[in-house]
Amino acid sequence: MFQHSTLLALRLCLPALVAFTSLNLCAQQKQNEIRFHFTVDNAVLELEKSYYLPAIKDSIRLEKIALYLSHLRLYKGNKLVGSAEKEFVLLNAENATSQQIPLPKGMVKKFDEVRFYFGIDSTTQVEGVSGGDLDPVHGMYWTWQSGYIHAKIEGVSPTCPARKNRFLFHIGGYQAPNSTVKEIRVKVPKSQSAEISIAIDQLLSQVDLRTNYVVMSPGPKAVTIALLLPAIFSPAP
Amino acid sequence: MRRKTFILGTIAWCCLAFYSKQQTMVALPAHFPPTVYDLDRNPPTPEKIELGRALFYDTILSKDSTISCASCHNPYNAFAHTDHDLSHGIDDLIGTRNAPALFNLAWQQTFMWDGAIVHLDMQALAPITNTREMNLSMQAVIDRLNASQLYQKLFYEAFRDSLATGEHALKALAQFQLTLVSANSKYDRVSNSLETFSDQESAGYALYQKNCSSCHVEPLFSSGGFANNGLPVDTSLNDYGKWKVSGLSEDSLLFKVPTLRNLSYTYPYMHDGRFNKLNQVLNHYTRGIQNSKTLSNALQKPILLSSNEKTDLLSFLLTLNDREFVFNPKHQFPKKILLPAKD
């Protein structure tokens, strides 16, 4: 049907056309994301590294940090403009990828506030097993009772009188009056992506490790620690 | 026009057949209440059930590969643990309670003697990770399953994904356990007008209704709730039941009301297996109840039973035994999967 020369022209141009179009699409579909960073003194925290905390006049070394965030939503001028596709996110200090939360492709609206929950809502807690970040294989579900462990913060400090100077905070609980689910709002520079820092040093500076170093079940102690959490989330400098 | 009708009809039939097939995977007796478990969230299929059955009987789920779920939940004992007051696990370590019988789980709101577990999917995490039972982390379980060609195949057949995950393993285990339905005892056949009680059994039924039915509600023979039935505390165990989970003083000494079905198969009785014989249980109720602040309202007045009445009551309780359930080969060790014939 087509003349030979037309076919030849098409054969030469088509790949270029495809490449050009896909390049354009790529430019439009840059991966926007929320990136969380566990920090000490505004620098990215390294596990197993010793840090001096002036507030407690002693050093700490973190061995494990894992925590659940859920229902990440994006706001501009107090209006909802988008949300993360992943409803439940397990941030793990051992795994940098876990701290990068992708936002829907093609989402072009900018936002100036990120809202989310620390912890997992009670409906999800009781409806049965789920996969992905909620899979109990991650070791973040209490096996001897019901419910997810919203945060595990484990480490060592000479201040701590426990065996091997180890502090162990397993913060959880989804039922009143000991629910540790907390809403957190972080104002961020207006953009299509955001970087949020989680100041672990700020948290541990407010806990007296000489007397409070083990929380292994839901209860008032877990709630006290959970109440400290919203303030330690801030836009990364 | 006819072809359209035929096609639509075939589609409708397929949909209906699939729906019916799903429902018959887990038998739902007509005289039972609606299930608590959301079957739509974890729809039963033959492949998932068989995977769950393999996992239930496989000692690979324990640290030294000696203990399986069936070690404490024995099919011939209606999936209870007999001969031991307290169940024992890995390294012969003795636990703190008697493993309860497993059946009719789709109708249970909570699991464990103290109600610590609120969903069947999550229950298996407790014995698998408990250091005195199977002592293995879920991550280690999943690693082992993923290293096994057999399980890669079973997971693929069940979930169209050969990669085992905690979610899939737990869902499969739940599905197998959901198939353990016990509803064909003589009592059930009498309920469905297929048989009649003997005079003695009828007398026993009347005594049950008068003295036991407020907690052991038919047809499940448990309210699914919790009660303090006046058992004196065993000071070598100091087990205060539901109080441990809720922290509320009104829950002190409350334990889950167990079912009265299959009693002949599931001795010893009570959360700590302190009674070997049903006669001892009845004697507890007639003269052994210890009063305390949280003693069940149903037991505030003494239960009076003559010796003959006890015999009648026992004969009724025996009508709750479901022999067909206990000997059902579909529930037993899956020889073909776990011990295939060697050529």
Side-chain angles (χ1 to χ4, degrees):
Chain A
M1 203 158 83
F2 289 111
Q3 280 195 343
H4 176 76
S5 55
T6 321
L7 273 171
L8 187 64
L10 271 172
R11 253 205 235 149
L12 289 169
C13 293
L14 211 54
L17 199 64
V18 168
F20 179 70
T21 318
S22 70
L23 268 171
N24 252 345
L25 283 170
C26 279
Q28 282 166 23
Q29 287 188 359
K30 185 188 74 165
Q31 180 61 72
N32 294 313
E33 54 188 21
I34 313 269
R35 279 181 292 278
F36 287 92
H37 307 282
F38 296 107
T39 59
V40 170
D41 206 14
N42 288 318
V44 173
L45 181 154
E46 284 172 52
L47 290 175
E48 304 295 352
K49 181 175 162 176
S50 195
Y51 293 95
Y52 181 77
L53 289 192
I56 63 170
K57 294 196 180 61
D58 209 334
S59 64
I60 54 157
R61 199 175 81 232
L62 275 310
E63 292 179 334
K64 185 180 181 69
I65 310 175
L67 62 90
Y68 274 114
L69 302 178
S70 56
H71 307 304
L72 274 90
R73 290 147 296 136
L74 312 166
Y75 286 76
K76 188 172 81 172
N78 274 322
K79 274 213 197 119
L80 180 69
V81 296
S83 58
E85 279 160 335
K86 239 176 146 192
E87 280 291 284
F88 302 94
V89 165
L90 178 58
L91 304 182
N92 193 328
E94 289 167 0
N95 179 351
T97 320
S98 74
Q99 296 165 46
Q100 296 154 12
I101 319 305
L103 297 176
K105 278 197 170 67
M107 199 202 85
V108 291
K109 287 202 171 135
K110 295 187 179 178
F111 53 92
D112 59 22
E113 190 182 37
V114 184
R115 296 184 193 175
F116 48 91
Y117 289 90
F118 165 70
I120 295 165
D121 62 277
S122 55
T123 307
T124 306
Q125 299 259 14
V126 302
E127 67 179 6
V129 72
S130 299
D133 281 15
L134 291 179
D135 193 318
V137 76
H138 300 302
M140 296 292 286
Y141 189 92
W142 265 310
T143 52
W144 51 273
Q145 64 167 14
S146 296
Y148 283 92
I149 303 169
H150 293 157
K152 278 189 181 175
I153 302 171
E154 300 175 7
V156 167
S157 171
T159 317
C160 181
R163 180 174 167 265
K164 294 191 177 184
N165 302 120
R166 185 172 273 135
F167 54 88
L168 290 166
F169 296 117
H170 290 186
I171 308 299
Y174 62 94
Q175 290 175 296
N178 294 318
S179 171
T180 51
V181 178
K182 298 283 163 233
E183 195 191 15
I184 300 178
R185 299 182 178 192
V186 183
K187 287 213 172 348
V188 294
K190 195 156 76 180
S191 175
Q192 294 170 292
S193 282
E195 311 239 3
I196 297 178
S197 131
I198 309 174
I200 296 297
D201 54 337
Q202 198 183 318
L203 173 70
L204 291 174
S205 299
Q206 296 174 78
V207 175
D208 188 352
L209 292 174
R210 293 169 302 177
T211 53
N212 184 9
Y213 45 85
V214 172
V215 178
M216 284 277 135
S217 52
K221 279 170 87 174
V223 172
T224 307
I225 293 186
L227 286 169
L228 299 172
L229 289 171
I232 71 171
F233 287 78
S234 62
Chain B
M1 184 61 203
R2 253 207 231 152
R3 193 199 280 180
K4 261 195 211 162
T5 320
F6 174 75
I7 292 171
L8 280 170
T10 312
I11 293 171
W13 180 87
C14 286
C15 290
L16 216 67
F18 177 70
Y19 176 80
S20 305
K21 192 176 181 212
Q22 247 194 14
Q23 295 307 304
T24 55
M25 294 280 121
V26 174
L28 301 174
H31 60 301
F32 275 26
T35 62
V36 171
Y37 191 92
D38 183 357
L39 288 164
D40 290 330
R41 196 179 182 276
N42 183 17
T45 66
E47 294 80 16
K48 287 179 190 155
I49 291 167
E50 284 306 279
L51 168 56
R53 180 156 83 133
L55 291 169
F56 189 90
Y57 283 97
D58 201 335
T59 55
I60 199 179
L61 263 56
S62 60
K63 190 168 176 125
D64 61 358
S65 296
T66 58
I67 309 286
S68 69
C69 308
S71 303
C72 287
H73 296 286
N74 184 358
Y76 304 117
N77 297 111
F79 294 90
H81 199 182
T82 57
D83 255 4
H84 297 268
D85 55 353
L86 303 175
S87 296
H88 58 90
I90 204 163
D91 290 334
D92 286 349
L93 291 169
I94 300 177
T96 54
R97 292 193 181 135
N98 181 263
L102 302 183
F103 52 83
N104 298 342
L105 298 170
W107 291 272
Q108 271 187 228
Q109 303 263 12
T110 60
F111 304 88
M112 315 296 256
W113 281 105
D114 53 17
I117 309 293
V118 301
H119 199 283
L120 179 61
D121 289 355
M122 302 306 216
Q123 191 281 337
L125 291 171
I128 289 173
T129 59
N130 188 312
T131 52
R132 305 183 83 80
E133 298 182 42
M134 295 159 85
N135 198 18
L136 200 60
S137 72
M138 276 312 284
Q139 184 62 65
V141 166
I142 295 308
D143 289 343
R144 286 186 187 184
L145 296 177
N146 279 321
S148 153
Q149 279 199 322
L150 167 67
Y151 280 106
Q152 283 172 31
K153 172 168 151 294
L154 292 176
F155 272 89
Y156 183 77
E157 281 167 5
F159 292 99
R160 285 281 164 267
D161 185 353
S162 62
L163 190 71
T165 61
E167 179 197 10
H168 286 171
L170 291 170
K171 279 184 167 164
L173 270 168
Q175 286 205 10
F176 167 66
Q177 291 179 82
L178 288 167
T179 65
L180 306 178
V181 175
S182 177
N184 197 20
S185 64
K186 179 169 182 180
Y187 161 86
D188 296 295
R189 293 191 294 278
V190 169
S191 275
N192 293 322
S193 307
L194 297 168
E195 260 182 74
T196 49
F197 284 136
S198 67
D199 290 341
Q200 190 176 46
E201 290 161 355
S202 286
Y205 184 37
L207 288 165
Y208 149 81
Q209 285 172 311
K210 180 178 169 212
N211 295 293
C212 322
S213 62
S214 57
C215 292
H216 295 281
V217 185
E218 49 186 318
L220 297 166
F221 288 89
S222 164
S223 61
F226 297 81
N228 174 355
N229 69 340
L231 290 170
V233 177
D234 179 335
T235 52
S236 70
L237 293 173
N238 282 331
D239 189 347
Y240 286 81
K242 194 170 182 246
W243 172 80
K244 180 182 165 206
V245 174
S246 72
L248 301 169
S249 57
E250 59 253 39
D251 285 341
S252 174
L253 293 178
L254 265 63
F255 292 89
K256 181 109 72 64
V257 177
T259 179
L260 298 181
R261 288 174 174 272
N262 296 315
L263 291 174
S264 293
Y265 304 107
T266 60
Y267 70 96
Y269 309 104
M270 306 297 162
H271 61 276
D272 54 9
R274 63 177 68 185
F275 297 134
N276 268 321
K277 293 187 187 299
L278 286 174
N279 264 318
Q280 292 172 307
V281 175
L282 293 187
N283 289 341
H284 163 73
Y285 281 108
T286 54
R287 56 176 196 249
I289 289 184
Q290 188 172 83
N291 202 352
S292 65
K293 260 198 212 157
T294 58
L295 180 67
S296 170
N297 285 334
L299 297 172
Q300 298 290 347
K301 275 201 289 209
I303 292 179
L304 302 164
L305 293 169
S306 70
S307 178
N308 282 340
E309 284 173 329
K310 283 183 185 173
T311 310
D312 290 348
L313 182 52
L314 282 174
S315 78
F316 165 70
L317 291 176
L318 295 179
T319 71
L320 301 177
N321 288 338
D322 183 350
R323 198 171 187 280
E324 186 199 44
F325 166 70
V326 169
F327 289 102
N328 187 339
K330 283 196 192 147
H331 301 152
Q332 285 160 25
F333 183 84
K335 219 164 37 164
K336 282 196 187 140
I337 302 176
L338 293 181
L339 288 177
K342 294 192 170 104
D343 289 319

